Amino acid sequence: STGAVKMQPRAEELKFVTKNDGYVHIHPSSVNYQTRHFESPYLVYHEKIKTSRVFIRDCSMVSVYPLVLLGGGQVHVQLLKGDFVISLDDGWIRFVAASHQVAELVKELRCELDQLLQDKIKNPSMDLCMCPRGSRIIGMIVKLVTTQ
């Protein structure tokens, strides 16, 4: 037969983009170095080093909702070209939401989680699973993350 078959990139060809460094590669000593496909295009990493090029180590793939709910910075929702976009880190990271309602609910859940964590910091003895508000927020996050 004839035709082209799309091949997954080789490990050394796979690259990601960071806000400050541009393209980065997974370090050959990383356990994810031989991974040729990630379900999500987003990785979190612990260490970044520069030798012949910029490498990341200790990285893990992260899905959209955990990134939105637990990532740094403020969450913003805006309408762009007919799509409702959830953005983080001053627009550096963007996701298209299924609807305006979904975008606003995710933003509100993030605000509730941030407030819950602030309450826990002020009162370390507070049991988040035993208080009704905390258990509802945590339950919703678990359901969202496990069913996405």
Side-chain angles (χ1 to χ4, degrees), residues 49-102:
I49 58 172
K50 184 174 183 177
T51 55
S52 58
R53 52 187 166 175
V54 180
F55 290 99
I56 56 173
R57 283 199 283 215
D58 304 325
C59 61
S60 295
M61 183 202 74
V62 64
S63 299
V64 172
Y65 287 124
L67 187 58
V68 171
L69 294 172
L70 301 170
Q74 295 292 314
V75 176
H76 300 281
V77 175
Q78 60 191 121
L79 180 63
L80 292 174
K81 298 181 182 177
D83 291 322
F84 290 98
V85 176
I86 301 170
S87 65
L88 297 169
D89 197 15
D90 298 325
W92 169 244
I93 302 171
R94 295 180 183 183
F95 311 100
V96 175
S99 69
H100 184 249
Q101 182 180 16
V102 169

Side-chain angles (χ1 to χ4, degrees), residues 112-135 137-138:
E112 289 291 328
L113 176 61
D114 288 347
Q115 184 59 53
L116 184 64
L117 293 174
Q118 287 294 325
D119 293 347
K120 177 67 174 172
I121 290 168
K122 290 177 187 170
N123 182 6
S125 64
M126 181 173 75
D127 186 344
L128 297 178
C129 294
M130 296 306 289
C131 75
R133 181 173 162 261
S135 64
I137 292 169
I138 292 169

Side-chain angles (χ1 to χ4, degrees), residues 5-24:
V5 176
K6 184 174 180 171
M7 302 287 291
Q8 294 290 339
R10 294 191 319 256
E12 61 273 6
E13 296 172 336
L14 194 61
K15 55 189 172 183
F16 296 87
V17 180
T18 66
K19 186 176 182 179
N20 297 327
D21 297 298
Y23 288 111
V24 297

